[in-house]
Amino acid sequence: MLQKVKQEERLRLSCASPDRSSDCKIMDGKPSDQLNKLRASNEKLQSEVTLQEPIPLLSPRLNKSQTYEKGGTETFLRSTDGLLNNGSSASAHSTSSKPDFSILKEEICLDNLSIKELHETFKATFGRETSVKDKLWLKRRIAMGLTNSCDVSTTTFIIRGKTLVRNKVTEENSKSVDTTLTKDQVVVNDNCKDLPSNPTNQMEDQGVLSGKIFGKSDVESGYKSEDIHMEERAAKRVRKPTRRYIEELSEVESRECSGRFLSSVKNTGPTPSSPKYIARPVSNVRSDGTVVVTRQDSLGGSGVLVPYVSRVRRGRPRKNFMALMVISKAEKEKQPVFTCRSEHQQNVELENLDSSRGNSDDNVVTVPTAKGGTRRKHHRAWTLTEVMKLVEGVSRYGAGRWSEIKRLAFASYTYRTSVDLKDKWRNLLRASFAQSPTDKGMKNSRKHASMPIPAPILLRVRELAEMHAQSAPDLSSGKLAGRSGRNVNEARTGYL
DNA sequence: ATTAGGG
DNA sequence: CCCTAAT
């Protein structure tokens, strides 16, 4: 009962959530021919995309939500009218609509960055280094990367001249945009040649064309409203003190001392020189991806040598990995015999592409589990594009719908489980809130620690976080909650 | 099977 | 990341 209500609420929220982005109405004033063309193509693309990626646009869900709470969602709907209107709901406001929207353009000047900084940004964007010294090139690339990855939904960036422009919709100040925008605007088409990212999701990217708007409709900041980060969310899910994990660990420890038969399986052999040590290689084989068996593969007739990294251990070892170890050993020996290509090939392909863009190494570090055995901690650095996809996904489906996001936005990334997404999001939140108040926190100590996430993204994260913080707990509090304004336009001291 | 949280 | 508890 209650759950149902909850679900409906979520549904509503997700539908209402911003950015059904009607593309080109950016240029309120005078739509040029160019613009129209653009719009046309864009629409076409969108409809195509819709086929494979259900967008609530016309779905009953939207209607439902509309009737669900009439007055309540008004603000939301208003923010999404535009082109949307012709599709679904009433054309209440005729299409001649006055410039309801305007652009609050914020320029992210890549120009101001030094080459070194550009390099860092580049690395974060594409996950790989570059040796190019050409500033212009770098800027272009980065801009492209950013735009590209945002694409599908609600991109917030467009390229204009040489700078990256971030468009933002605001309802309050409807100042017109300079029409020159149309002229200089370079619409970035997704299929950016050799963009290393997005290995397989061309379909997804097809729907690109920037121009879209992420309409976070800030409403009139009527209420000052308190800050969200105050209360750490009233009711967290209560947890009974975990036990199994602890038990397991302690068990391991004790086992280590006694050095029983199990230890051999677990390859934690207390004495590396002991005969039991043979168990060791089993785990190692997989760990150092370089030693892996390779086989000839007539892939595309090129006869490439593909690492025979069976997909077997792609996923982390679940529960009893001791058992799995044995199994995987068996599988390794067995695999080369029968080669089921099709699927396997795909995976390989994927992995190749994947690794080619930066983390060439299968960052599967074996972490000596303190006392226990060795556990693989495969660490895949999150690339900027991934982060952006994540942010994107959250903005569309809402935080918490990790499986959804996983399925739709991360379809092509075989790793990155929904849990990973969740974790990353948590980190992003932390970062977005912690870093902005005062950046003096971490000095220059860690230069290459990890590429700082570009400010705009953190900003978005914060926005989304706030949205959720204020809309989730509400439910019983009634609808009056005039979405506390709080213009999130704080000057960004960011990097970009 | 998915999600939230702790470590 | 990994792991568990809760749903």
Side-chain angles (χ1 to χ4, degrees), chain A residues 289-342:
Chain A
T290 49
V291 187
V292 193
V293 191
T294 60
R295 74 183 160 102
Q296 274 277 351
D297 194 329
S298 56
L299 206 158
S302 53
V304 266
L305 262 186
V306 283
Y308 202 65
V309 189
S310 64
R311 181 175 167 61
V312 184
R313 281 279 52 111
R314 225 40 203 144
R316 349 183 191 316
R318 258 320 17 164
K319 298 220 163 190
N320 33 13
F321 44 109
M322 345 185 288
L324 280 179
M325 292 269 238
V326 178
I327 292 178
S328 83
K329 176 182 175 184
E331 280 179 348
K332 277 204 175 78
E333 291 170 347
K334 204 164 55 177
Q335 288 259 10
V337 180
F338 46 77
T339 36
C340 47
R341 195 69 63 69
S342 59

Side-chain angles (χ1 to χ4, degrees), chain A residues 377-404:
Chain A
K377 183 201 177 184
H378 33 232
H379 183 59
R380 226 134 200 146
W382 276 71
T383 65
L384 222 195
T385 55
E386 281 175 314
V387 169
M388 290 177 85
K389 273 190 180 296
L390 174 59
V391 169
E392 256 258 347
V394 171
S395 80
R396 291 174 85 168
Y397 312 109
R401 321 259 295 220
W402 308 118
S403 65
E404 290 261 313

Side-chain angles (χ1 to χ4, degrees), chain A residues 158-207:
Chain A
I158 63 172
I159 309 288
R160 176 194 175 192
K162 292 171 186 170
T163 54
L164 203 57
V165 183
R166 183 175 192 233
N167 289 323
K168 185 175 220 173
V169 187
T170 357
E171 287 193 10
E172 31 182 359
N173 46 2
S174 329
K175 51 189 169 189
S176 59
V177 202
D178 62 341
T179 49
T180 64
L181 195 62
T182 322
K183 187 178 68 184
D184 293 338
Q185 182 177 359
V186 177
V187 179
V188 176
N189 201 341
D190 63 301
N191 297 328
C192 297
K193 336 50 188 149
D194 49 65
L195 249 189
S197 58
N198 304 335
T200 47
N201 55 342
Q202 315 118 321
M203 301 192 307
E204 217 176 8
D205 288 337
Q206 220 81 9

Side-chain angles (χ1 to χ4, degrees), chain A residues 200-484:
Chain A
T200 47
N201 55 342
Q202 315 118 321
M203 301 192 307
E204 217 176 8
D205 288 337
Q206 220 81 9
V208 182
L209 290 195
S210 55
K212 301 195 180 181
I213 302 177
F214 170 54
K216 191 226 181 248
S217 56
D218 347 359
V219 199
E220 311 69 85
S221 46
Y223 308 75
K224 195 56 183 183
S225 179
E226 53 320 287
D227 298 330
I228 295 78
H229 29 284
M230 265 182 46
E231 17 116 36
E232 275 265 45
R233 178 140 279 164
K236 286 186 176 180
R237 199 142 82 184
V238 277
R239 267 176 78 88
K240 206 160 54 179
T242 173
R243 54 182 127 57
R244 217 185 80 102
Y245 188 25
I246 303 176
E247 280 176 8
E248 208 170 77
L249 286 182
S250 56
E251 194 182 22
V252 166
E253 276 180 290
S254 63
R255 200 183 296 145
E256 188 179 39
C257 295
S258 56
R260 264 208 300 246
F261 111 95
L262 275 178
S263 63
S264 68
V265 179
K266 231 177 170 169
N267 86 43
T268 316
T271 50
S273 53
S274 84
K276 301 281 185 179
Y277 191 53
I278 41 178
R280 185 81 184 174
V282 177
S283 65
N284 269 349
V285 170
R286 179 52 186 109
S287 303
D288 45 9
T290 49
V291 187
V292 193
V293 191
T294 60
R295 74 183 160 102
Q296 274 277 351
D297 194 329
S298 56
L299 206 158
S302 53
V304 266
L305 262 186
V306 283
Y308 202 65
V309 189
S310 64
R311 181 175 167 61
V312 184
R313 281 279 52 111
R314 225 40 203 144
R316 349 183 191 316
R318 258 320 17 164
K319 298 220 163 190
N320 33 13
F321 44 109
M322 345 185 288
L324 280 179
M325 292 269 238
V326 178
I327 292 178
S328 83
K329 176 182 175 184
E331 280 179 348
K332 277 204 175 78
E333 291 170 347
K334 204 164 55 177
Q335 288 259 10
V337 180
F338 46 77
T339 36
C340 47
R341 195 69 63 69
S342 59
E343 189 183 4
H344 194 68
Q345 188 167 318
Q346 262 194 340
N347 289 331
V348 170
E349 207 171 321
L350 233 167
E351 283 175 15
N352 277 348
L353 280 175
D354 205 287
S355 53
S356 70
R357 77 117 178 292
N359 319 329
S360 53
D361 54 356
D362 207 50
N363 266 332
V364 187
V365 186
T366 74
V367 172
T369 303
K371 293 88 192 171
T374 48
R375 190 185 55 195
R376 313 188 222 18
K377 183 201 177 184
H378 33 232
H379 183 59
R380 226 134 200 146
W382 276 71
T383 65
L384 222 195
T385 55
E386 281 175 314
V387 169
M388 290 177 85
K389 273 190 180 296
L390 174 59
V391 169
E392 256 258 347
V394 171
S395 80
R396 291 174 85 168
Y397 312 109
R401 321 259 295 220
W402 308 118
S403 65
E404 290 261 313
I405 299 177
K406 210 292 184 186
R407 281 212 326 274
L408 290 114
F410 279 74
S412 49
Y413 298 81
T414 55
Y415 44 96
R416 301 301 181 221
T417 70
S418 57
V419 174
D420 290 329
L421 300 189
K422 183 214 64 177
D423 285 334
K424 183 56 179 179
W425 179 252
R426 197 190 347 179
N427 290 341
L428 282 178
L429 283 184
R430 217 184 260 128
S432 72
F433 280 125
Q435 181 230 10
S436 82
T438 167
D439 44 88
K440 56 194 161 199
M442 65 288 217
K443 291 297 179 189
N444 315 326
S445 53
R446 301 282 179 257
K447 278 214 159 188
H448 300 291
S450 60
M451 166 58 184
I453 294 156
I457 296 188
L458 286 183
L459 190 81
R460 279 243 289 174
V461 171
R462 212 175 327 161
E463 288 175 5
L464 292 170
E466 291 186 13
M467 280 194 53
H468 262 269
Q470 66 182 180
S471 54
D474 142 61
L475 168 66
S476 58
S477 67
K479 304 138 194 241
L480 57 138
R483 336 195 51 56
S484 55

